[in-house]
Amino acid sequence: MEFLRQNNVFQAKTIAFNKKIKKYPEDALIFIYWAKNIDKIKILNLTPGTTKEDKWRNFTPNDYLWFYDDFVNNPCDKLFLSKSVKDSLILKAVGRCSVAVQNESAKIQIDNNIEKINKIGKEVYVVYGSDKQGKTESKLLTQATGWKHFNTKDKYLKMYDCNDPAELVRVFSLKKLDNELRLKNL
């Protein structure tokens, strides 16, 4: 839990929406992603029985770049741009520099974040997943920027439904992800 707190992710039992307090049951799994520098949050509800519509509540701008401030004064040789905070945290857990976007839209990143990302990473690797949408968007982004990409292997998607670093860790382990990155000299 300390790693999550250091990265501004907190578990919550009570949340206020529009000046109304919502208290969740004791077994609720609610996580708050806090964008400290803009004082906005994103809420992930993993409580059993939660509908797909209620899983996420997002109050951060669509072009927000998570963890950018971690590297603005200490740029990385190799920086991973992931499609989610969850994937970025997994990459950080295996010792890699990583920032996350709000969504996979290449257009949003091209229009808003290229300059910022180039400022904090010498080599940038797009990690958008190995599903069709992830590959399409990462191809558009890498073609527009000259960045490289890292996707989990297609065989993991086919065999285990793993299309991103967090899913690879869920099925295998942090060590497996670290080994996959090392095989690519990342």
Side-chain angles (χ1 to χ4, degrees), residues 7-172:
N7 287 283
N8 295 316
V9 179
F10 306 92
Q11 189 171 10
K13 295 293 179 192
T14 305
I15 299 174
F17 288 110
N18 299 324
K19 299 181 182 180
K20 293 180 184 176
I21 295 176
K22 177 158 175 76
K23 190 170 181 145
Y24 290 94
E26 194 60 37
D27 64 344
L29 290 171
I30 311 291
F31 293 94
I32 305 296
Y33 295 56
W34 181 34
K36 184 178 178 180
N37 59 335
I38 61 170
D39 201 26
K40 301 283 184 190
I41 61 171
K42 184 175 185 174
I43 303 168
L44 171 60
N45 185 346
L46 297 174
T47 304
T50 300
T51 65
K52 188 175 182 179
E53 295 80 30
D54 290 332
K55 183 176 179 180
W56 289 103
R57 290 199 185 266
N58 188 13
F59 302 97
T60 57
N62 211 24
D63 63 347
Y64 185 70
L65 192 58
W66 293 89
F67 307 120
Y68 171 78
D69 289 344
D70 293 358
F71 306 108
V72 75
N73 293 318
N74 190 20
C76 303
D77 289 333
K78 295 178 182 178
L79 177 73
F80 291 87
L81 172 66
S82 71
K83 68 174 181 168
S84 70
V85 174
K86 177 178 62 170
D87 288 329
S88 191
L89 289 170
I90 292 293
L91 288 161
K92 289 174 87 173
V94 293
R96 303 319 193 276
C97 297
S98 183
V99 293
V101 295
Q102 282 296 104
N103 64 52
E104 296 182 281
S105 168
K107 180 169 179 13
I108 289 173
Q109 303 327 310
I110 291 166
D111 291 348
N112 298 288
N113 288 323
I114 290 176
E115 188 177 310
K116 288 171 77 174
I117 293 166
N118 282 332
K119 184 177 178 181
I120 62 171
K122 292 178 186 171
E123 278 183 56
V124 178
Y125 293 86
V126 179
V127 185
Y128 274 12
S130 54
D131 59 348
K132 185 177 179 179
Q133 180 184 359
K135 284 183 175 180
T136 299
E137 294 296 327
S138 74
K139 184 176 181 180
L140 291 170
L141 193 51
T142 56
Q143 287 175 340
T145 60
W147 297 339
K148 300 172 184 168
H149 74 280
F150 172 81
N151 291 346
T152 55
K153 294 177 181 173
D154 288 340
K155 71 179 184 180
Y156 298 138
L157 178 62
K158 291 175 187 165
M159 295 171 66
Y160 305 104
D161 198 28
C162 296
N163 76 337
D164 59 37
E167 288 299 311
L168 188 70
V169 168
R170 181 186 59 80
V171 171
F172 296 102

